[in-house]
Every structure is written in C-alpha cells, then in structure tokens.
Amino acid sequence: MTTLRLTVRLALILALAMGAVATAPVSNSSFAQSIMPARSAGVLDFELQDLDGNPMRLSQFRGHPVIVDFWATWCPPCRKQIPELRDLYAKYHKTKGLEIIGVACDTIQGDSTSAIGPFIKKFRINYPILIASEPVVDSLGVEAIPTTLFVGADGKLVQKVLGAGKPGELSENAMDLINGAKVPGSPSHTPEDSNSFSI
C-alpha cells in the first residue's frame, strides 16, 4: 500500500469521523467497534523489531494466549484502549500467561518512531512494543487502528476487533481467550460509526 494511498484513505476517514462526531451522540460514536471471528484456521506468525532493533516473533509466545494491538501515537481511540491493556497485562501476565504485544503503526502513518518512546513512558506501557512494517500489516489485513487480534495458545486467530469498544470489552474478550472459549462474532458497524482510523 503506497504512502499516497494511505494518506488519501486517512483524509477520507478523518472527514467521515468529523461528520460522525458532529451528527451522532457521543455515547454511540465513542464506543463503536466491529468484532469478527477468525476466517482462517492457519497459524499466525510475523517478525517485527522493537525500538532497539531487536527482532521478536509472534511464535515465541506459542503456548500462551496473546493479544496483538495495532495502534499509533496520534490515534485517540488507540489511547482509550491502552490503560485497559496495561491493566490486563499486569493482572494476567504472570498468573495466566497472557501476553500482550503492541504494534506501533507510526512508521506507516505518522512521525516515524520519534514519538513512540516518549508515548510509552507517558502512558506507562508495561508490555512489549514493536514497530509496524507495511508487509506485516498488509499480510494480517490490518486496514484501520486500533485493530486488536486475539490469538490462541495454538497460534491461531480467535478474534479480530476493529475499533475501541466500551470499557471492559477488551477484558471480557481477554478472559474468553485465556479460558479458551470461542467468541461469537457480532454485527459489523459501518466505518462512519467505528471508533477507528484508517492506515
């Protein structure tokens, strides 16, 4: 996906989001999200680098339930999810083996990596943060942020959530993931109602 195409898509979604905010009640536009059950039975894997250039593979966490959160420093809905993800990691990483990986998409749309380090400190993010690459983002079908992947201990995608939901929804999905429950899909929301930004 070219930078020009990404820029055009971002401009369109921002225009739609501005219109939705101006015409829709805050309670509806703030927490819309689309939940999709996994389409593929295949095992997911990718490799990305952290801020220090160290590579990390998703398969390193095989045997653990994993949440992969695609976000960016400039994305307000992404910020809404971070405190809940941080709390989930603190509560269930050691007790239930839950792994959370944040994937910063500022390298695809934003100011590259310069804002990521200060952002991690400001929001006291306690789980690993990796730097997105277009090939990985494209291969996983991530077209908007936040997009949150719930990956089972077997490495298979259980659920894909687009947009920031109501407080507590990530926790509910995380508990289903930890307990090995299959999460049913819910009706998709239109892009105008989704609390997300295109990348």
Side-chain angles (χ1 to χ4, degrees):
M1 197 172 293
T2 66
T3 303
L4 177 59
R5 182 177 166 194
L6 287 168
T7 303
V8 170
R9 289 182 62 191
L10 178 60
L12 287 173
I13 200 71
L14 283 173
L16 288 172
M18 296 283 283
V21 168
T23 60
V26 173
S27 59
N28 290 336
S29 64
S30 296
F31 296 119
Q33 101 186 138
S34 174
I35 302 175
M36 294 158 278
R39 294 181 183 175
S40 172
V43 173
L44 292 185
D45 198 16
F46 60 80
E47 181 177 297
L48 294 170
Q49 294 182 346
D50 64 17
L51 280 171
D52 296 321
N54 301 311
M56 182 180 290
R57 294 195 70 88
L58 179 61
S59 56
Q60 290 176 221
F61 302 101
R62 199 66 43 81
H64 295 269
V66 183
I67 298 173
V68 184
D69 182 51
F70 290 84
W71 61 280
T73 58
W74 49 263
C75 167
C78 301
R79 296 182 184 193
K80 291 180 183 178
Q81 296 198 143
I82 289 174
E84 190 170 358
L85 289 168
R86 188 180 60 213
D87 292 346
L88 282 169
Y89 190 75
K91 189 172 183 179
Y92 297 117
H93 175 61
K94 291 183 179 177
T95 61
K96 301 289 186 181
L98 177 67
E99 299 288 351
I100 298 178
I101 303 169
V103 180
C105 296
D106 290 63
T107 48
I108 296 175
Q109 190 69 251
D111 295 328
S112 191
T113 60
S114 61
I116 298 172
F119 186 93
I120 291 170
K121 290 180 182 177
K122 179 180 178 180
F123 283 83
R124 305 188 314 278
I125 296 175
N126 54 354
Y127 46 87
I129 297 296
L130 304 179
I131 307 303
S133 73
E134 285 195 38
V136 168
V137 166
D138 288 346
S139 71
L140 295 173
V142 177
E143 297 183 351
I145 54 171
T147 289
T148 310
L149 307 181
F150 292 81
V151 182
D154 58 0
K156 294 181 180 179
L157 180 64
V158 174
Q159 189 178 44
K160 181 178 180 179
V161 178
L162 170 64
K166 294 179 182 177
E169 285 190 50
L170 283 177
S171 298
E172 292 174 14
N173 295 337
M175 289 312 299
D176 287 334
L177 180 69
I178 289 169
N179 294 327
K182 290 192 175 180
V183 184
S186 68
S188 296
H189 298 276
T190 62
E192 294 89 341
D193 293 333
S194 184
N195 195 14
S196 63
F197 287 89
S198 178
I199 60 169

